[in-house]
């Protein structure tokens, strides 16, 4: 079992940047593949980015490629999502998710993840 806590959300102007953090409670966090998802009002939860347990592979949703970057610090049990060139379309609640499947490829669907955080709100103003 792992508990995930997101932080770093907030209000930012279009073109700005934010860095989200996902802190995990499990001492074996280095074995978890982690993904970031987002959900805007009235829309389905959308895959944003993910990183495998080894950190060797990453994946991104088409709408954020080239703007967002995911990384992890297994000493601090934390995964980061650096978000640059934000637009109002990035406004959503951002969720961190994890799975202990020792993936070699980042899974991009909600059903592939077993543990979820409570989410952090990101609002981008125009």
């Amino acid at each position: 079992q792992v508990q995930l806590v997101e932080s770093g959300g907030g209000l930012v102007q279009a073109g700005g940047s934010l860095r989200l953090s996902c802190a995990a409670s499990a001492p074996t966090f280095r074995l978890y593949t982690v993904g970031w998802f987002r959900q805007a009002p009235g829309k389905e939860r959308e895959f944003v980015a993910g990183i495998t347990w080894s950190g060797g592979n990453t994946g991104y949703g088409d709408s954020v490629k080239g703007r967002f970057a995911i990384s992890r610090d297994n000493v601090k049990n934390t995964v980061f999502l650096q978000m640059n060139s934000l637009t109002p379309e990035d406004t959503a609640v951002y969720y961190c998710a994890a799975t202990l499947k020792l993936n070699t490829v980042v899974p991009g669907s909600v059903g592939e993840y077993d543990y979820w955080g409570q989410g952090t709100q990101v609002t981008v103003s125009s």
Side-chain angles (χ1 to χ4, degrees):
Q1 192 86 12
V2 60
Q3 291 184 327
L4 305 171
V5 179
E6 303 95 335
S7 62
L11 174 64
V12 64
Q13 288 188 333
S17 298
L18 282 175
R19 189 193 197 203
L20 304 184
S21 298
C22 172
S25 61
T28 57
F29 185 62
R30 68 188 186 282
L31 300 179
Y32 287 77
T33 288
V34 177
W36 283 97
F37 289 76
R38 67 186 182 186
Q39 189 165 19
K43 295 188 177 181
E44 293 186 353
R45 195 164 293 191
E46 172 191 20
F47 173 74
V48 175
I51 186 166
T52 54
W53 64 279
S54 66
N57 286 309
T58 58
Y60 297 91
D62 289 341
S63 61
V64 306
K65 283 180 182 177
R67 300 189 297 124
F68 290 12
I70 190 170
S71 61
R72 68 189 301 159
D73 183 336
N74 286 338
V75 174
K76 296 182 178 179
N77 282 359
T78 303
V79 171
F80 304 99
L81 182 68
Q82 178 67 43
M83 306 188 297
N84 300 324
S85 302
L86 286 162
T87 73
E89 288 68 36
D90 295 314
T91 295
V93 177
Y94 283 70
Y95 297 91
C96 175
T99 178
L100 190 56
K101 295 187 179 75
L102 298 179
N103 308 79
T104 56
V105 176
V106 174
S109 63
V110 170
E112 295 280 355
Y113 293 85
D114 304 304
Y115 307 100
W116 291 83
Q118 293 300 308
T120 185
Q121 176 70 46
V122 171
T123 302
V124 184
S125 64
S126 57

